């Protein structure tokens, strides 16, 4: 699909663009909604980074603008990776891709608006029902996260229904990466149901530097993080295996996924037992 996005003018005698610029140019043609979602969050990450040293307020033990920064970076990786992977689907699936991409873009826009609003107010956005406004904002986040999960399940269906372009190892990396990603998304839903991400202690308190994951109790964010980033790790693994061992790439992609999913499950079990990833 991506190759079909090029025109004859792309092969004119001009100096070749940088790989990153070319990657973004193709992504823009393939999926404008997720392309601009990524760039919007580049701007939001820059804003949060600028505010970080200027605003010394703390929420759950961390600087107030650290969470918006982390969510912005996460959404950049999610939106651009999803847009790139779905561009490999055949033309018959692209109408559905455009629709689900709009759903993802809208969901991420609402989530970021609430996260930044609550950071500006000096309070947390997740699991917050301290006031009527806080409760309504958290409920809205839950609704749009459910919408985003539904869109990713739709994407998962599409990559299993229509074979993406590429060698077998890469194709299975895409399919299995999205599958583990959806499992990671469900773990996020569990945290919403629990109204906290720490197991065995209240949210806040001592945590790993930069990440904030609890060092005194279980923390579901570790398994959630690893599960969500299967979207990048497993397609990349499949692509690498297709180059290194093409005849065994599909089998090894399944084996790599089993190990990766086992790590996600291990982190989840550790958290549910109330044990921290790294104890101080």
């Amino acid at each position: 699909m991506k190759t079909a996005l090029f025109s004859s003018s792309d092969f004119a005698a001009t100096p070749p663009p940088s790989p990153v610029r070319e990657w973004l140019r193709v992504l823009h043609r393939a999926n404008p909604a997720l392309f601009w979602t990524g760039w919007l969050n580049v701007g939001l990450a820059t804003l949060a980074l600028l505010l970080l040293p200027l605003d010394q307020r703390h929420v759950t033990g961390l600087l107030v603008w650290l969470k918006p920064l982390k969510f912005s970076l996460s959404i950049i990786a999610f939106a651009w990776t999803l847009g790139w992977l779905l561009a490999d689907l055949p033309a018959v699936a692209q109408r559905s891709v455009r629709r689900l991409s709009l759903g993802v873009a809208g969901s991420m826009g609402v989530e970021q608006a609430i996260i930044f609003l609550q950071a500006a107010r000096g309070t947390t956005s997740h699991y917050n029902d301290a006031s009527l406004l806080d409760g309504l904002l958290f409920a809205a986040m839950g609704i749009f996260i459910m919408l985003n999960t539904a869109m990713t399940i739709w994407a998962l269906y599409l990559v299993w229904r229509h074979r993406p372009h590429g060698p077998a190892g890469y194709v299975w990396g895409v399919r299995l990466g999205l599958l583990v990603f959806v499992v990671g998304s469900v773990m996020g839903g569990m945290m919403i149901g629990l109204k906290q991400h720490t197991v065995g202690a209240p949210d806040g308190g001592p945590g790993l530097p930069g990440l904030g994951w609890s060092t005194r109790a279980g923390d579901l964010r570790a398994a959630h993080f690893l599960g969500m980033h299967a979207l990048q790790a497993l397609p990349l693994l499949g692509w690498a295996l297709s180059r290194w061992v093409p005849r065994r790439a599909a089998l090894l992609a399944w084996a790599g996924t089993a190990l990766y999913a086992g790590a996600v499950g291990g982190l989840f079990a550790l958290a549910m037992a109330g044990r921290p990833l790294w104890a101080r």
Side-chain angles (χ1 to χ4, degrees):
M1 175 61 188
K2 289 170 190 161
T3 55
L5 296 170
F6 291 95
S7 65
S8 59
S9 62
D10 295 323
F11 300 95
T14 56
S18 69
V20 173
R21 184 176 178 182
E22 181 66 10
W23 186 88
L24 289 171
R25 186 169 69 90
V26 174
L27 178 62
H28 179 233
R29 290 190 181 186
N31 199 315
L34 295 183
F35 172 84
W36 289 113
T37 297
W39 275 116
L40 172 62
N41 281 277
V42 169
L44 291 175
T46 303
L47 174 61
L49 194 60
L50 291 173
L51 291 171
L52 201 58
L54 302 176
D55 191 340
Q56 296 300 305
R57 293 177 298 167
H58 285 68
V59 174
T60 62
L62 297 172
L63 287 170
V64 68
W65 292 106
L66 187 59
K67 181 175 181 176
L69 174 61
K70 292 192 294 185
F71 267 78
S72 298
L73 295 175
S74 179
I75 291 172
I76 293 167
F78 167 53
W80 283 354
T81 304
L82 185 65
W84 183 259
L85 298 179
L86 295 181
D88 279 320
L89 289 174
V92 68
Q94 289 303 314
R95 183 176 181 182
S96 294
V97 168
R98 288 192 294 271
R99 290 178 175 177
L100 74 87
S101 297
L102 289 173
V104 170
S107 299
M108 295 298 95
V110 171
E111 179 171 4
Q112 284 292 74
I114 294 173
I115 288 172
F116 272 75
L117 172 62
Q118 293 292 73
R121 295 179 65 224
T123 188
T124 184
S125 50
H126 289 71
Y127 328 121
N128 187 350
D129 55 3
S131 69
L132 177 60
L133 176 60
D134 293 325
L136 289 174
L137 291 174
F138 178 49
M141 290 185 70
I143 291 170
F144 281 94
I145 288 301
M146 288 177 60
L147 173 61
N148 186 69
T149 301
M151 295 300 101
T152 55
I153 292 172
W154 189 3
L156 176 64
Y157 164 77
L158 290 176
V159 300
W160 284 75
R161 173 67 177 82
H162 306 281
R163 188 185 191 280
H165 174 75
Y170 172 72
V171 169
W172 284 112
V174 172
R175 288 170 170 172
L176 295 170
L178 261 169
L179 178 61
V180 178
F181 175 87
V182 168
V183 173
S185 299
V186 172
M187 289 181 180
M190 289 185 62
M191 289 188 281
I192 292 176
L194 293 171
K195 292 189 177 180
Q196 64 178 55
H197 47 71
T198 308
V199 179
D203 282 349
L208 293 177
L211 295 171
W213 300 345
S214 179
T215 55
R216 65 173 179 172
D219 199 316
L220 291 166
R221 289 177 295 182
H224 177 61
F225 176 88
L226 192 63
M228 299 288 280
H229 286 287
L231 190 65
Q232 291 83 32
L234 295 181
L236 184 59
L237 174 65
W239 172 82
L241 291 171
S242 296
R243 292 174 62 89
W244 298 337
V245 283
R247 293 184 180 181
R248 299 180 181 178
L251 177 61
L252 291 175
W254 275 90
T257 299
L259 291 173
Y260 195 98
V264 174
L267 289 176
F268 177 75
L270 189 71
M272 292 302 294
R275 298 174 59 187
L277 179 63
W278 185 275
R280 287 183 176 179

